[in-house]
Amino acid sequence: MITVGIADDNAVVRAGIRGLLATTPDIQVVGEAGDGAAAVALARAKRPVVMLLDVRMPRQDGVTAAGEIAQLTNVLMLTYSEAPDVISAAVRAGAKGYLVHGHFGDTELIQAVRMVAGGIGTFSAQTLAALSNPAPSVAQLAERFGLSEREAEVMDLIAKGSANTDIARGLFISEKTVKNHINRIFAKLQANNRGHAISLWHAGS
């Protein structure tokens, strides 16, 4: 029996995946999580054979969580993010597979779970294309957009889905300082909002 944990901040997405996997005799969902920190806790408590992870989740993003979970079990990223830098980061963190919503069907997902459970990597065509054309480093993006080293660190965490409180905690700075960095980042990127800044950052990669 292949036990599976599902981590996604969208309850509807989790329910859909659970419903699909429930129709498969050799796969059993043993738990769900709505954020990255809860996903790590779930992996430690239940030790599923495969952990399905979204990228953008509160408290802790999926890529960061993957780094911890990959030491415990097999990680399959299941997300909407096609950004090359995110894909590369997930693979470096230890993910054995990466599928992008909208680019696979029910059969492909079930097959991917089985392959990852067996230690076989599985990646969508979009993911393989991104891996064959490595994304520039954070330092290179910083130079491209004229950001300081700290601003680039903040922007990279924003692009990975981290909230201001998580960024402050991770970089050991105050939330007010994070907001000041973000204001300067938006000005340099000529971004109207957080989503626009993320789009520009990914386009630069």
Side-chain angles (χ1 to χ4, degrees):
M1 180 67 69
I2 300 171
T3 53
V4 174
I6 304 170
D8 195 297
D9 61 341
N10 188 323
V12 175
V13 171
R14 294 200 308 271
I17 296 171
R18 175 185 279 275
L20 169 63
L21 298 181
T23 66
T24 310
D26 61 329
I27 298 176
Q28 178 185 12
V29 176
V30 295
E32 298 180 21
D35 61 68
V40 174
L42 172 61
R44 286 175 176 159
K46 299 290 188 178
R47 295 297 175 104
V49 176
V50 177
M51 192 74 193
L52 303 181
L53 283 179
D54 185 21
V55 169
R56 294 189 174 88
M57 294 187 289
R59 294 181 65 198
Q60 187 179 54
D61 66 88
V63 173
T64 302
E68 297 184 54
I69 296 172
Q71 299 177 43
L72 305 170
T73 189
N74 302 296
V75 173
L76 172 58
M77 306 303 294
L78 195 61
T79 180
Y80 286 98
S81 179
E82 299 181 68
D85 59 324
V86 174
I87 295 171
S88 297
V91 172
R92 288 196 302 271
K96 285 190 171 68
Y98 195 109
L99 298 181
V100 179
H101 287 295
H103 296 288
F104 63 86
D106 294 352
T107 301
E108 287 82 5
L109 174 55
I110 292 170
Q111 181 181 20
V113 169
R114 289 172 176 155
M115 289 177 67
V116 169
I120 303 171
T122 178
F123 300 92
S124 65
Q126 293 77 12
T127 303
L128 290 173
L131 292 174
S132 65
N133 296 286
S137 66
V138 173
Q140 289 172 319
L141 286 171
E143 183 177 357
R144 183 172 301 173
F145 290 109
L147 303 184
S148 68
E149 182 178 350
R150 177 63 87 187
E151 288 166 352
E153 288 178 326
V154 171
M155 186 60 232
D156 193 50
L157 289 170
I158 290 173
K160 290 176 180 175
S162 298
N164 288 2
T165 51
D166 298 322
I167 295 172
R169 190 181 305 115
L171 297 180
F172 302 102
I173 56 179
S174 71
E175 194 168 346
K176 183 177 185 300
T177 300
V178 172
K179 291 178 180 177
N180 289 337
H181 282 311
I182 291 174
N183 287 335
R184 288 194 292 271
I185 290 168
F186 283 7
K188 291 180 179 180
L189 268 63
Q190 298 183 358
N192 300 321
N193 51 48
R194 206 178 188 92
H196 188 199
I198 292 172
S199 177
L200 292 169
W201 187 253
H202 285 161
S205 66

